[in-house]
Amino acid sequence: MIRTFHLASATKENVAKLVNENVSHESMLFTDESRLYRETGKEFATHRTVKPSAKEYVRREGDVVVHSNTSEGVFSVFKRGMIGVYQHCGEAHLSSSSCHQANSPAWDDWNCSMAQTPLR
């Protein structure tokens, strides 16, 4: 299952609140190097980051493959929908368009990938 949210401003506090309310703390949290996730990551079973600024997009740690490709891919599909389908979408309608996209059959593969991270 994928959940998307519109934030007027992404701060450590409001990103932490959304992540804590929507993702199980028993999860392995994989993010990029953004400072938005540093404190929030400490509240999960494990928190691993990749460092795109150093051209690191994926790495293996034993049996675990650390990456943020799933969320990056979801966002790219959303952006493509905004460019190709929803060309004039006001801020007030973002949550409805993202919900519509996330529940469409095209997202089924993403739903399977995201199932590794239990949602609350």
Side-chain angles (χ1 to χ4, degrees), residues 4 78 93-104:
T4 58
F78 172 74
H93 301 288
L94 277 174
S95 61
S96 62
S97 68
S98 59
C99 285
H100 172 74
Q101 283 186 319
N103 292 317
S104 74

Side-chain angles (χ1 to χ4, degrees), residues 35-110:
R35 287 180 262 159
L36 293 173
Y37 307 111
R38 286 187 188 152
E39 292 301 313
T40 301
K42 294 176 183 177
E43 300 175 26
F44 289 83
T46 59
H47 178 215
R48 299 288 184 267
T49 60
V50 291
K51 194 170 184 176
S53 66
K55 305 237 187 274
E56 179 192 48
Y57 305 102
V58 63
R59 77 170 173 283
R60 184 173 291 278
E61 291 183 359
D63 292 338
V64 177
V65 178
V66 180
H67 65 85
S68 61
N69 294 341
T70 305
S71 57
E72 295 288 344
V74 167
F75 188 63
S76 75
V77 171
F78 172 74
K79 286 191 302 186
R80 175 57 46 208
M82 292 303 293
I83 292 167
V85 177
Y86 305 105
Q87 295 184 15
H88 302 287
C89 184
E91 212 172 290
H93 301 288
L94 277 174
S95 61
S96 62
S97 68
S98 59
C99 285
H100 172 74
Q101 283 186 319
N103 292 317
S104 74
W107 288 65
D108 287 347
D109 290 339
W110 295 114

